[in-house]
């Protein structure tokens, strides 16, 4: 398996049961987080959007094109909003998406819920830092999106953010 075709392991599972493909896509999202330009104030995340047939629609990492970009925002910016494959898609994000943004009109959790994606697979549900960006997973659950956390990937998601997580 390579970073561009984890679908060889099987399609994303329905509901809350992780598949081998879920783990492979989430590992890619965690590796994307490690590619983020460092920031003294912003968390680093990676995201991959995958159609329900296993086709990758887009991937991105925080600050990929703009210093204020979040990973999910960057990935969705690469997809035509009319793409019918978004309905039922799964978003793999190393860090659960933000529920509130000061620098943008729509938070990442809202982008996901409005896209038609039905699943979020994440490594790290809530950051251990205070701020308005927490609680995106709860927002999505309230919007009917299945949220699946795979905590065995949390260390990989936290690694690029270690400088922000100091006690």
């Amino acid at each position: 398996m390579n970073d561009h075709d984890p679908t060889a392991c099987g399609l994303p599972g329905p509901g809350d049961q992780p598949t081998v493909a879920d783990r492979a896509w989430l590992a890619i999202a965690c590796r994307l987080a490690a590619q983020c330009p460092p920031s003294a104030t912003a968390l680093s995340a990676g995201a991959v959007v995958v159609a329900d047939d296993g086709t990758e629609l887009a991937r991105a990492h925080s600050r990929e094109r703009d210093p204020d970009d979040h990973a999910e925002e960057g990935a969705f910016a690469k997809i035509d909003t009319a793409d019918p494959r978004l309905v039922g898609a799964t978003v793999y994000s190393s860090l659960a998406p933000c529920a509130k943004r000061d620098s943008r009109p729509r938070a990442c959790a809202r982008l996901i819920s409005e896209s038609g994606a039905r699943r979020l697979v994440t490594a790290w549900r809530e950051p251990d830092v205070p701020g308005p960006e927490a609680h995106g997973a709860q927002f999505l659950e309230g919007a009917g999106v299945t949220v699946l956390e795979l905590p065995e990937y949390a260390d990989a998601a936290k690694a690029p953010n270690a400088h922000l997580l100091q006690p």
Side-chain angles (χ1 to χ4, degrees), residues 11-33:
L11 299 176
D16 61 1
Q17 297 302 312
T19 66
V20 172
D22 285 332
R23 295 175 193 289
W25 287 115
L26 186 56
I28 291 170
C30 289
R31 286 193 295 274
L32 287 167

Side-chain angles (χ1 to χ4, degrees), residues 25-109:
W25 287 115
L26 186 56
I28 291 170
C30 289
R31 286 193 295 274
L32 287 167
Q35 296 176 20
C36 295
S39 170
T41 59
L43 293 166
S44 295
V48 185
V49 181
V50 179
D52 64 0
D53 68 357
T55 303
E56 178 180 331
L57 301 178
R59 64 174 66 189
H61 58 74
S62 303
R63 300 176 295 285
E64 184 175 320
R65 295 194 281 183
D66 179 279
D68 290 327
D69 280 352
H70 288 192
E72 300 88 354
E73 176 183 33
F76 279 110
K78 296 175 182 179
I79 305 169
D80 179 350
T81 57
D83 190 327
R85 298 174 299 169
L86 279 170
V87 175
T90 298
V91 177
Y92 297 91
S93 182
S94 62
L95 172 64
C98 65
K100 182 178 182 205
R101 292 285 301 269
D102 291 331
S103 61
R104 297 285 198 263
R106 292 184 3 223
C108 295

Side-chain angles (χ1 to χ4, degrees), residues 115-144:
S115 75
R118 299 310 335 142
R119 292 175 79 229
L120 168 73
V121 180
T122 187
W124 185 21
R125 185 177 277 255
E126 297 295 339
D128 298 328
V129 295
E133 297 181 5
H135 311 297
Q138 290 88 340
F139 173 87
L140 288 169
E141 289 168 334

